[in-house]
Amino acid sequence: MNSINLKKQAIQIVLEKKKLTDVVARVGIVLDISGSMRKLYRQGVVQEAVERVLAVASQFDDDGALDIWVYDNEFSRLPAVTEKDFDGYVERQILNNADVHKFGRNDEPLVMGDVVKKYIDEEPSQDPTFIVFINDGGCKAGIKRFIVETSNKPIFWQFVGIGDSNFDVLRKLDTMEGRFIDNANFFHLDNLETVSDAQLYDQLLDEFPKWLQEAKDKHVL
């Protein structure tokens, strides 16, 4: 059985537990490609992260596609990945792609603006959008504006901090003022590679069900 099928089994169990099996949602992943992430790209950890979140998209998304962005102080919106072409995606579309700016400093607001542009301006939909945002620290405070401005839109931001850097900005997400509804969550992992699929999916989908309910109650969805 291939790795995606095993991951799909793991996500299905979590979806059943959280009563999310009937949810249709668009799924995107935003990947930090600043200098400190270099090792995780080279070691295949980022490829594994893409495959893990693709399994979520395969259950939520109509076409089973996972939308992908990478960012440092610039960003690239990349071709969506599916079960047909996930193998070697990071090597092919990111590391060997000369058009992708890599291993610079990080600028989250820049890429967040493009995520909002795609889902709200270019391709508006009544379906919710679930964004997994992977960052290894030093997130810019400017992310707050995008989170506040999309709090009445059908986008949920799930931030995942990896490593031992500074996550002060992301730790304050739960207490962020001025939002229509709480539309963002953060959790921290020392090592992405040592967390089981079941544990990862349980944390990834921890606050999403609550947001879905509140978004329906307040007619965001």
Side-chain angles (χ1 to χ4, degrees), residues 40-60:
L40 296 182
Y41 277 88
R42 300 276 180 234
Q43 291 177 340
V45 175
V46 175
Q47 173 69 30
E48 174 78 3
V50 167
E51 292 177 23
R52 290 168 124 177
V53 181
L54 174 59
V56 179
S58 74
Q59 304 301 312
F60 277 163

Side-chain angles (χ1 to χ4, degrees), residues 147-155 179-181 183 219-220:
I147 292 170
V148 171
E149 285 177 1
T150 56
S151 65
N152 63 347
K153 304 281 192 289
I155 296 182
R179 287 182 289 174
F180 186 64
I181 53 176
N183 59 338
H219 308 293
V220 171

Side-chain angles (χ1 to χ4, degrees), residues 33-213:
I33 196 166
S34 58
S36 51
M37 288 286 292
R38 190 187 298 263
K39 189 172 159 194
L40 296 182
Y41 277 88
R42 300 276 180 234
Q43 291 177 340
V45 175
V46 175
Q47 173 69 30
E48 174 78 3
V50 167
E51 292 177 23
R52 290 168 124 177
V53 181
L54 174 59
V56 179
S58 74
Q59 304 301 312
F60 277 163
D61 197 292
D62 280 352
D63 58 6
L66 174 64
D67 297 322
I68 300 195
W69 284 262
V70 292
Y71 78 96
D72 53 4
N73 49 294
E74 297 182 20
F75 70 85
S76 298
R77 190 194 296 188
L78 298 172
V81 65
T82 68
E83 288 183 53
K84 295 190 185 77
D85 60 7
F86 73 87
D87 204 31
Y89 180 94
V90 167
E91 194 77 26
R92 189 172 62 252
Q93 295 287 0
I94 302 174
L95 293 178
N96 294 340
N97 183 348
D99 293 332
V100 171
H101 197 270
K102 329 174 172 59
F103 310 130
R105 293 181 173 278
N106 53 310
D107 189 344
E108 292 77 20
L110 209 59
V111 70
M112 288 176 81
D114 196 60
V115 171
V116 173
K117 184 177 165 190
K118 176 181 169 70
Y119 294 119
I120 303 302
D121 302 334
E122 296 172 3
E123 301 168 24
S125 168
Q126 289 306 300
D127 291 335
T129 298
F130 179 69
I131 299 292
V132 177
F133 201 114
I134 294 179
N135 163 269
D136 76 341
C139 206
K140 288 202 170 175
I143 69 166
K144 182 178 175 181
R145 177 167 78 87
F146 290 96
I147 292 170
V148 171
E149 285 177 1
T150 56
S151 65
N152 63 347
K153 304 281 192 289
I155 296 182
F156 183 80
W157 304 88
Q158 177 58 67
F159 289 88
V160 183
I162 51 174
D164 56 3
S165 195
N166 176 338
F167 297 103
D168 288 355
V169 171
L170 294 174
R171 290 191 197 282
K172 292 174 185 159
L173 284 181
D174 277 340
T175 55
M176 192 181 285
E177 304 275 310
R179 287 182 289 174
F180 186 64
I181 53 176
D182 180 351
N183 59 338
N185 186 38
F186 167 71
F187 65 89
H188 171 249
L189 300 169
D190 288 327
N191 288 299
L192 189 57
E193 56 272 43
T194 58
V195 174
S196 72
D197 289 337
Q199 286 172 302
L200 181 67
Y201 293 141
D202 197 58
Q203 288 188 272
L204 274 181
L205 298 169
D206 185 40
E207 281 198 21
F208 187 52
K210 192 171 126 196
W211 172 81
L212 280 173
Q213 190 56 56

